[in-house]
């Protein structure tokens, strides 16, 4: 690999601003903000809007859509119009 063309891969902290969930991981992203982690070291802080602690799919609060009911309602509505047009 060529030297000097790859971004720096370092430890960073991602913080979910909606639930205050934090995780220490590695990334090439950087930030001017820093945060002191549990081990006493300071790491760059990346703020995110959604994480596994706040996303409805992972928290079990997602809604299951009644697509079958919607399809049936659509068919009933437009089936009546099609039948009346053919008979006229």
């Amino acid at each position: 690999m060529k030297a000097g063309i790859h971004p720096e891969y370092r430890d960073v902290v991602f913080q979910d601003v909606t639930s205050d969930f934090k995780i220490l991981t590695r990334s090439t992203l950087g930030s001017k903000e820093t945060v002191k982690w549990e081990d006493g070291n300071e790491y760059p802080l990346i703020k995110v809007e959604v994480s596994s602690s706040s996303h409805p799919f992972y928290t079990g609060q997602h809604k299951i859509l009644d697509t079958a009911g919607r399809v049936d309602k659509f068919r009933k509505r437009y089936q009546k119009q099609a039948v009346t047009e053919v008979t006229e």
Side-chain angles (χ1 to χ4, degrees):
M1 293 193 303
K2 285 187 175 180
I5 64 169
H6 300 285
E8 182 183 350
Y9 189 64
R10 60 185 169 274
D11 292 332
V12 297
V13 174
F14 284 90
Q15 177 186 8
D16 184 344
V17 293
T18 58
S19 66
D20 204 36
F21 172 73
K22 296 177 186 172
I23 186 168
L24 176 65
T25 187
R26 295 182 56 87
S27 176
T28 58
L29 293 175
S31 175
K32 293 180 182 178
E33 293 183 71
T34 60
V35 65
K36 192 167 200 163
W37 191 248
E38 299 162 356
D39 62 3
N41 295 328
E42 293 230 355
Y43 297 102
L45 176 67
I46 309 293
K47 293 183 179 179
V48 294
E49 298 292 324
V50 177
S51 71
S52 61
S53 91
S54 65
H55 193 280
F57 179 79
Y58 294 106
T59 59
Q61 298 174 350
H62 67 286
K63 296 178 184 178
I64 298 174
L65 297 176
D66 182 21
T67 55
R70 291 181 182 184
V71 170
D72 291 337
K73 188 188 296 185
F74 175 84
R75 286 183 179 160
K76 286 179 184 177
R77 184 183 325 151
Y78 291 104
Q79 184 179 16
K80 291 178 185 177
Q81 291 179 356
V83 170
T84 58
E85 291 174 4
V86 171
T87 58
E88 291 179 355

